[in-house]
Amino acid sequence: MGKFYVTTPIYYVNSHPHLGHLYTTLVADAVARYQRQRGRDTYFLTGTDEHGQNIERAAAAAGLPVKQHVDNYVAEFQEMFARFHLDPAHGGYDQWIRTTDEAHRRGAAELWRRIREAGYIYKGEYQGWYCINCNSFYTEDETQPGPDGALLCKVHDRPLERVAEESYFFKLSAFQERLLAHYEAHPEFIRPEARRNEVISFVRAGLTDPSVSRVSVKWGIPVPDDPHHTIYVWFEALSNYITALGYGGDDAGRFTAYWPADLQLVGKDILRFHTVYWPAFLMAAGVELPRSVYAHGMWLSGGRRMSKTLGNVIDLEVLFKHFTRDAVRYFCLREMVFGQDGDFTYEALIDRSNGDLAAGLGNLSSRTLTMVRNYCDGEIPAAADGAGAALRAQAGEVREAVARARAEFESEFADYNFSRALEVAWAAITRVDKFISDAKPWHLAKDPEERASLALVLLTATEALRHLTALLAPVVPEAAQVIWEQLGAPGDVAAVAPETLAWGGTGGRIGEVKPIFPRLDKQKMMEEIKADEAVSQRARAGANSPAPETKEPATPAEPAPAVAFIGIEEFAKVELRAGEVLTAERVPKADKLLRLTIDLGEPAPRQILAGIAQYYEPEGLVGRKVIVVANLAPRKLRGLESQGMILAASIGDEGRPVLAGFVEEVPNGARLK
Ligand code: MSP
């Protein structure tokens, strides 16, 4: 039956997960379920990218040790993905790789060693302009002039840092011809076609050797045998796809079983890293290349690319609160033509939920099953001998239409044309609906002479529904299982390969008929969503502030994300107040957390949880004056609500916190401006 290995990018842990992140993992999940259902030994990898200067700085800004900062975000990503059933417990990913995992650190170092031994890594001096948000170096002509002669990053509009340091380089230039030959010989290596052409032109224009180490960044993986240097974050991040399988470790069983990857899904924003650098690293190390890298488009919101920096992200909390998992999955796969950008609007999601799901699949299912219940005592007719020739011909057409839809769906889905595959399936749903409406079983049911015709109509409709349900299981897994059970079909639809289903004659008793997709009241829902979004934006703006997202430079056609500096009015939104610690104690089973109560001059003291337990004894804090962010949205840690944050400097590599305070006396509650 073969194997199938599918990967997603690993996400930076410096901003909260949003729809963009969920999307790639959700698509990979649908592909993995599709492959598993067809009996392939499937491995599905997703995870988090946790090293680099940007993350180091984000942790410092949040006043947390870096490891704690990344642990918090990883927990948030995993919890959110689990809510959408993308986790192992719900048949989703097989592994969540973290680049802070020991096995990854070892594997990445091993990849480095092998490339260096092969002669493709050498030492030199790097001079360049570095953007910490892109994690990338630029030459002067790749920058834009800013105020006071500063050079700015074209993507982020932020001042670049001049970096001159000893550095290791990767001999990318040595791979130009081999890469071009590979693209030529394996057209499926970069998809879709437009992206492939883009990469070919880029490589043809000539490749320069990138710097692959930094001495000024400490939060990362040390260069083997030269720990003064840290491996460049992209170099090691890319290696996750093989280190996750045990590459460079003691047990390479999974590496042997699953590598090369069959499908590496990425957003188009990180295409070059995956189709130029990554294959060149692998060639240099003598490792086989992935079969296919597919770059999907970006979700736009309000016409601009959804990103934390622009503040236009779709909040997963809000999405989760108002929509079923299946509706979100269906929408993401149906609405976005895979490979192209797509606009996300809640209105469109509601329309698709009501139109395609409730009135389409849901209605076909409930009308068919209700008729079986009402006209046949809940028994699906097994045979329909004696039905008229005309009706038999129509039923035959429906059966053929469903078979054709299955074949087309299979090939479109296998080729990652999800939207087209779903269009085909929905055309078949419409066809079956029409057959039912034309045959009018509600009339046939009244006439004892028409028993055979009635049986044929219901048999055809239930069979069509059974086949389509199996087909749609990777896209709407929960609804598919419910319909499957209502049809009285045995077992788990996720394990039934559609091509193994025969047509007809199975009969059987249906289960209880219940509505599957709720009908949504658009106007009411939009009002609720808008209200929730406003609250969530306020909460996010106040939450332990993430650094801006780190990005590879966007293609020039894309609008540049905005805002580097904040104005005084922005700063004024942060309410900083002097407070006094009244009590302090350790939080059981959380070795880093202290629970403090703090007098802010308010009627009641605030409870604040601070990640400083490894550095401060609780007793020593009582009576101490601290600075509190007083208007931070409350959030729960270990089941306890934290009603603010205390400020601390973050010192050294491990981010040791040193609490901020006052030299002179200040009253509790005094505002800092
Ligand atoms: N850490 C790197 C990737 C390293 S892979 C070895 C990174 N991380 S990221 O957090 O910025 O996530 C990038 C990926 O998230 C994109 O490639 C894409 O898969 C997904 N998306 C982020 N924003 C998105 C949209 N607005 N729309 C669709 N997908 C988006 O880059």
Side-chain angles (χ1 to χ4, degrees):
M1 267 294 159
K3 63 90 189 172
F4 198 91
Y5 179 33
V6 55
T7 68
T8 74
I10 46 173
Y11 306 105
Y12 285 128
V13 283
N14 54 9
S15 68
H16 302 283
H18 59 70
L19 177 70
H21 305 121
L22 186 85
Y23 175 66
T24 317
T25 299
L26 185 155
V27 173
D29 180 83
V31 171
R33 286 177 203 256
Y34 173 90
Q35 296 294 346
R36 286 194 196 108
Q37 193 185 18
R38 281 147 192 80
R40 274 169 221 125
D41 176 11
T42 302
Y43 202 74
F44 164 18
L45 177 76
T46 193
T48 34
D49 191 351
E50 303 178 23
H51 288 135
Q53 190 164 34
N54 200 44
I55 287 171
E56 204 172 18
R57 292 190 183 177
L64 291 175
V66 196
K67 186 63 168 67
Q68 187 181 331
H69 167 86
V70 299
D71 285 352
N72 289 348
Y73 270 114
V74 170
E76 190 181 333
F77 267 80
Q78 288 182 337
E79 190 191 310
M80 200 44 100
F81 283 24
R83 283 206 208 170
F84 284 89
H85 284 190
L86 303 175
D87 58 331
H90 297 98
Y93 59 81
D94 293 288
Q95 185 181 347
W96 184 285
I97 181 139
R98 298 185 56 176
T99 54
T100 49
D101 289 344
E102 197 38 49
H104 170 77
R105 295 172 68 88
R106 254 198 302 155
E110 183 57 26
L111 181 70
W112 174 285
R113 237 178 252 118
R114 291 194 199 165
I115 296 179
R116 195 187 50 204
E117 276 160 20
Y120 293 112
I121 287 180
Y122 63 92
K123 209 180 224 182
E125 156 142 316
Y126 188 79
Q127 293 214 1
W129 295 99
Y130 187 71
C131 171
I132 62 155
N133 294 317
C134 298
N135 260 336
S136 281
F137 293 104
Y138 296 104
T139 58
E140 197 155 330
D141 24 314
E142 288 170 323
T143 66
Q144 59 180 349
D148 306 327
L151 293 182
L152 304 185
C153 165
K154 281 188 180 167
V155 182
H156 293 96
D157 265 347
R158 288 177 168 235
L160 295 159
E161 290 175 24
R162 181 75 184 160
V163 179
E165 59 184 31
E166 186 188 78
S167 172
Y168 285 95
F169 289 83
F170 173 69
K171 261 194 210 165
L172 183 63
S173 51
F175 292 91
Q176 181 170 353
E177 292 314 317
R178 280 176 68 185
L179 284 170
L180 288 170
H182 189 83
Y183 305 150
E184 181 66 31
H186 302 277
E188 73 293 351
F189 178 67
I190 306 172
R191 297 197 57 203
E193 184 69 17
R195 300 282 162 235
R196 175 169 176 263
N197 296 336
E198 211 176 284
V199 173
I200 291 177
S201 317
F202 173 76
V203 175
R204 276 208 188 118
L207 298 171
T208 48
D209 296 349
S211 153
V212 285
S213 71
R214 296 289 308 275
V215 281
S216 47
V217 177
K218 290 291 162 231
W219 178 246
I221 302 175
V223 164
D225 308 321
D226 197 355
H228 172 59
H229 291 260
T230 301
I231 301 180
Y232 173 49
V233 63
W234 266 102
F235 179 99
E236 53 113 337
L238 286 163
S239 75
N240 89 87
Y241 303 123
I242 53 176
T243 63
L245 300 180
Y247 175 86
D250 302 330
D251 177 8
R254 271 179 296 134
F255 180 67
T256 316
Y258 294 114
W259 190 257
D262 296 272
L263 176 66
Q264 299 214 256
L265 291 174
V266 297
K268 68 177 188 186
D269 53 335
I270 53 175
L271 176 70
R272 268 184 213 168
F273 284 106
H274 284 83
T275 54
V276 181
Y277 290 54
W278 175 225
F281 293 157
L282 292 171
M283 284 173 176
V287 177
E288 230 180 305
L289 305 199
R291 302 233 155 87
S292 194
V293 176
Y294 204 118
H296 64 70
M298 293 288 137
W299 280 110
L300 313 176
S301 168
R304 304 192 73 185
R305 177 193 161 149
M306 195 181 291
S307 98
K308 186 79 193 174
T309 329
L310 287 176
N312 61 348
V313 296
I314 294 301
D315 190 309
L316 293 177
E317 297 273 357
V318 179
L319 191 65
F320 183 75
K321 176 172 166 195
H322 293 280
F323 297 91
T324 62
R325 283 178 276 272
D326 281 346
V328 173
R329 293 172 73 94
Y330 173 76
F331 180 79
C332 284
L333 290 161
R334 175 67 182 85
E335 189 77 6
M336 173 106 108
V337 173
F338 201 58
Q340 294 175 19
D341 290 350
D343 211 11
F344 183 95
T345 64
Y346 279 112
E347 286 89 344
L349 173 50
I350 296 173
D351 288 344
R352 288 245 177 243
S353 302
N354 281 342
D356 299 4
L357 295 179
L361 179 60
N363 183 52
L364 174 65
S365 164
S366 62
R367 77 192 295 209
T368 303
L369 290 160
T370 306
M371 288 189 290
V372 173
R373 188 188 60 198
N374 294 352
Y375 307 148
C376 307
D377 291 332
E379 290 288 338
I380 297 174
D385 302 333
L391 187 63
R392 283 212 311 276
Q394 283 168 26
E397 274 171 32
V398 169
R399 178 179 169 168
E400 268 164 36
V402 171
R404 267 198 313 276
R406 183 184 70 75
E408 244 186 280
F409 181 98
E410 291 285 343
S411 72
E412 296 289 1
F413 203 99
D415 204 29
Y416 314 122
N417 300 320
F418 309 112
S419 188
R420 179 76 199 115
L422 291 170
E423 231 176 279
V424 166
W426 256 260
I429 290 175
T430 309
R431 180 72 191 79
V432 184
D433 258 334
K434 181 172 181 320
F435 167 72
I436 297 173
S437 301
D438 290 349
K440 300 192 178 53
W442 41 92
H443 286 167
L444 302 177
K446 290 189 190 133
D447 184 349
E449 303 273 291
E450 296 284 10
R451 281 319 281 177
S453 301
L454 177 68
L456 182 59
V457 174
L458 295 185
L459 186 157
T460 305
T462 46
E463 275 306 87
L465 181 62
R466 194 166 69 100
H467 284 240
L468 291 168
T469 300
L471 211 51
L472 294 173
V475 179
V476 284
E478 290 176 74
Q481 184 60 29
V482 173
I483 299 176
W484 193 249
E485 283 164 20
Q486 292 189 13
L487 277 165
D492 203 346
V493 64
V496 178
E499 70 267 25
T500 61
L501 290 177
W503 185 277
T506 42
R509 206 169 170 81
I510 60 166
E512 193 190 340
V513 183
K514 283 181 281 188
I516 298 153
F517 299 108
R519 267 207 155 270
L520 310 175
D521 176 339
K522 189 168 180 183
Q523 199 188 341
K524 181 161 160 276
M525 245 180 125
M526 283 311 297
E527 281 163 17
E528 287 170 8
I529 289 171
K530 287 209 174 99
D532 284 345
E533 279 206 303
V535 172
S536 96
Q537 268 160 20
R538 275 202 300 278
R540 288 295 158 98
N544 247 356
S545 65
E549 278 173 299
T550 309
K551 280 284 151 225
E552 185 205 9
T555 48
E558 284 180 45
V563 231
F565 301 102
I566 60 165
I568 187 76
E569 28 348 291
E570 277 291 296
F571 172 70
K573 288 185 195 157
V574 183
E575 193 185 318
L576 297 174
R577 292 196 181 272
E580 182 179 334
V581 179
L582 300 177
T583 64
E585 62 183 30
R586 292 184 186 279
V587 175
K589 291 198 209 126
D591 51 359
K592 295 176 185 149
L593 278 189
L594 288 186
R595 187 179 84 84
L596 310 173
T597 53
I598 297 184
D599 179 1
L600 279 187
E602 297 168 326
R606 297 262 191 130
Q607 168 171 289
I608 292 183
L609 298 168
I612 55 173
Q614 287 166 319
Y615 304 94
Y616 284 93
E617 287 305 322
E619 313 75 68
L621 290 173
V622 175
R624 186 161 171 162
K625 292 272 177 175
V626 289
I627 300 174
V628 172
V629 184
N631 61 340
L632 195 60
R635 64 179 201 147
K636 279 215 163 153
L637 292 165
R638 302 273 170 171
L640 296 169
E641 184 170 271
S642 185
Q643 300 158 331
M645 180 174 110
I646 50 175
L647 292 189
S650 175
I651 311 294
D653 293 348
E654 73 200 19
R656 177 169 64 86
V658 175
L659 289 178
F662 302 92
V663 181
E664 290 149 74
E665 257 320 296
V666 280
N668 295 341
R671 174 110 197 233
L672 282 84
K673 298 185 191 177

